[in-house]
């Protein structure tokens, strides 16, 4: 399932120009160390924001940037044009997947309530984190397996490129190829669908903001605010059996949350 949301109205399109300028300025001013290697999604520069759990963390926390880049990323998050994009993708998820949206909202509220040192990325947005993908963000085939399996990630397209010739979104698992114009948002279950987008021309610019919810946060909450390892070490045999049974039925939970009725 892939859903493309197109903005309506001149005001939203004017906002898109501000987003383009903000992300391009971040690309220009961010310092990428010489040791930087292409990420597994492609050779472009990406900077994280928000919070998650996994990758060696012992508890949920904010994604880290360098001392130079951190205030630049925060300035992007504080930008009204970027905040409007966050509310836009939040409204889209609420409109098309209301049960999943409520699940995200409740999960994020519980995580932030249990970890007051973590700041919410955007007010009025149910997603816990995003990646700021800069300037030439064309990706190779990949799945985002750290995200919630049945979740819908939102990707906002930004930049100046001919969307009829480049920047197409491909969902290989579904056999879907679609144009992905600037100033549009796309919703995709990125953890279970192999996806990519086609390269742009050398003179073009394509950035994006990928909003997501870490699966680790859901596991942390479901375990009573502890990791899988800690929970299984503390749990009784019966509790572990119930835990395994609930994990085996997660696909049923996901299907229910994706229904609109």
């Amino acid at each position: 399932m892939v859903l493309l949301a197109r903005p309506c109205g001149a005001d939203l399109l004017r906002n898109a120009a501000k987003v383009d300028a903000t992300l391009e300025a971040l690309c220009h001013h961010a310092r990428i160390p010489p040791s930087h290697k292409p990420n597994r999604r492609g050779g472009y520069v990406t900077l994280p924001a928000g919070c998650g759990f996994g990758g060696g963390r012992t508890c949920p926390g904010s994604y880290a940037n360098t001392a130079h880049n951190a205030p630049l990323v925060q300035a992007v998050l504080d930008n009204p044009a970027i905040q409007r994009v966050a509310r836009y993708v939040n409204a889209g998820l609420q409109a098309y997947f209301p049960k999943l949206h409520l699940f995200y909202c409740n999960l994020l509220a519980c995580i932030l309530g249990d970890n007051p040192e973590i700041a919410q990325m955007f007010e009025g947005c149910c997603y816990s984190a995003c990646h700021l993908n800069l300037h030439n963000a064309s990706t190779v085939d990949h799945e985002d397996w750290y995200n919630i399996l049945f979740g819908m990630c939102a990707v906002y397209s930004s930049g100046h490129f001919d969307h009829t010739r480049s920047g197409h979104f491909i969902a290989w698992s579904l056999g879907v190829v679609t144009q992905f114009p600037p100033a549009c948002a796309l919703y995709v279950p990125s953890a279970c669908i192999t996806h990519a987008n086609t390269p742009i021309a050398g003179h073009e610019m394509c950035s994006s903001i990928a909003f997501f919810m870490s699966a680790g946060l859901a596991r942390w909450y479901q375990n009573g605010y502890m990791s899988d390892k800690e929970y299984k070490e503390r749990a009784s045999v019966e509790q572990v059996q119930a835990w395994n049974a609930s994990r085996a039925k997660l696909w049923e939970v996901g299907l229910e949350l994706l229904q609109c009725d």
Side-chain angles (χ1 to χ4, degrees), residues 23-24 27 36 39 41-46 132-140 158-161 167 197-208:
L23 294 180
E24 194 64 7
C27 182
H36 171 77
N39 67 86
R41 299 175 184 86
Y44 58 92
V45 172
T46 182
L132 305 171
N133 305 316
L134 304 176
H135 192 67
N136 59 345
S138 60
T139 60
V140 298
S158 171
H160 303 281
F161 59 95
N197 64 295
T198 59
I200 58 173
H203 65 280
E204 296 178 321
M205 183 268 285
C206 176
S207 297
S208 66

Side-chain angles (χ1 to χ4, degrees), residues 206-223:
C206 176
S207 297
S208 66
I209 309 175
F211 297 81
F212 63 95
M213 179 70 79
S214 163
L217 294 180
R219 293 195 298 268
W220 179 267
Y221 170 74
Q222 188 65 33
N223 292 337

Side-chain angles (χ1 to χ4, degrees), residues 19-95:
V19 173
D20 296 344
T22 299
L23 294 180
E24 194 64 7
L26 176 62
C27 182
H28 178 74
H29 293 292
R31 293 179 185 170
I32 308 304
S35 59
H36 171 77
K37 296 180 180 179
N39 67 86
R40 67 178 185 84
R41 299 175 184 86
Y44 58 92
V45 172
T46 182
L47 298 174
C51 67
F53 176 59
R57 294 179 179 86
T58 58
C59 64
S62 300
Y63 291 112
N65 285 289
T66 65
H68 174 83
N69 291 340
L72 299 178
V73 169
Q74 187 58 52
V76 170
L77 301 184
D78 293 338
N79 188 294
I82 302 296
Q83 292 176 354
R84 187 166 186 179
V85 169
R87 294 192 297 271
Y88 172 66
V89 299
N90 177 80
L93 189 73
Q94 185 176 23

Side-chain angles (χ1 to χ4, degrees), residues 189-201:
S190 66
C192 60
I193 297 296
T194 303
H195 57 285
N197 64 295
T198 59
I200 58 173

